[in-house]
Amino acid sequence: MRYAVLGTGAVGRTLAERLLSLGHDVVLGTRDPAATLARTGPAGSGAQVEPYAAWQAGHPRAGLAAFAEAARSGEVLVNATGGRVSIEVLTAAGAGHLDGKVLIDLANPLDFSGGWPPVLDPANSDSLGELIQRTFPGARVVKTLNTMNCAVMVDPARVPGDHHVFLSGDDEDAKSSVRELLQSFGWPPDCILDLGGIQTARGVEMLLPVWLTLMGRLGHADFNFHIQGARPRA
Ligand code: NAP
């Protein structure tokens, strides 16, 4: 499968590396490939993220292209951009390049402009997942993986025991294909919980304040939500 991972930060790279290890073709999307490759300082929102060119050198099979070219080439798209710029990025990617494709949205609409802790915008009566689906009605948006650290997304065994990942989306076939992808990452079928339509993205995005508080208290990110009683009743 050909994946376009929109976003060159820690999350985009982690997803890309895992997809490549599974034999998929991956192009990462960025604003300006030459500028991204020329950067020498830490990249993205994480001060610990190495310059893109150094990462690229270790991942020679990963392609890099402007958002529109990456989206054009991808059969499946991943939104791994900051939630506050996701609509801008997807607009640059081009609505025509999203039409009919599964768009995995793992972004969180965190607004850090007022300092720490960030606030969610949108929230309560809307969500980023819904906003993306409304803005790009031809895309088959599946919200998932946004409720855990990116290392856990692609390697759930980092967290001991059973723990859960959520799916939200209006397109059942799209959710089925994302479920298969999650299983290829190592998620047991019973640990993938389909919450329903894209409106349920509200709830999973609003878990972020809890997740961020837990990370602060625990001092690490290798944890996840476990939903006791999630197995269907006999
Ligand atoms: P990030 O470093 O904040 O952003 C990466 C991408 O955003 C880059 O490709 C960058 O483009 C693009 N970008 C930044 N500002 C832009 C602007 N003004 N206009 C257009 N594009 C812009 O991302 P991240 O830390 O990897 O996180 C990605 C998403 O995953 C976020 O929504 C985050 O909330 C979510 N998430 C993160 C984790 C985690 O473990 N960190 C876990 C769950 C969910 P360039 O390539 O051109 O620089």
Side-chain angles (χ1 to χ4, degrees), residues 101-122:
K101 296 180 184 174
V102 174
L103 171 55
I104 301 170
D105 172 35
L106 44 76
N108 285 304
L110 297 173
D111 179 357
F112 291 90
S113 61
W116 189 267
V119 297
L120 288 163
D121 182 18

Side-chain angles (χ1 to χ4, degrees), residues 6-12 29-32 36 39 43-46 67 79-83 85-86 88-89 106-110 145-151 153:
L6 306 179
T8 58
V11 180
T30 189
R31 282 169 286 190
D32 177 345
T36 299
R39 279 182 207 144
S45 56
F67 287 126
N79 175 33
T81 63
V85 299
S86 293
E88 191 181 327
V89 167
L106 44 76
N108 285 304
L110 297 173
L145 292 172
N146 66 304
T147 52
M148 67 200 72
N149 179 258
C150 56
M153 295 179 189

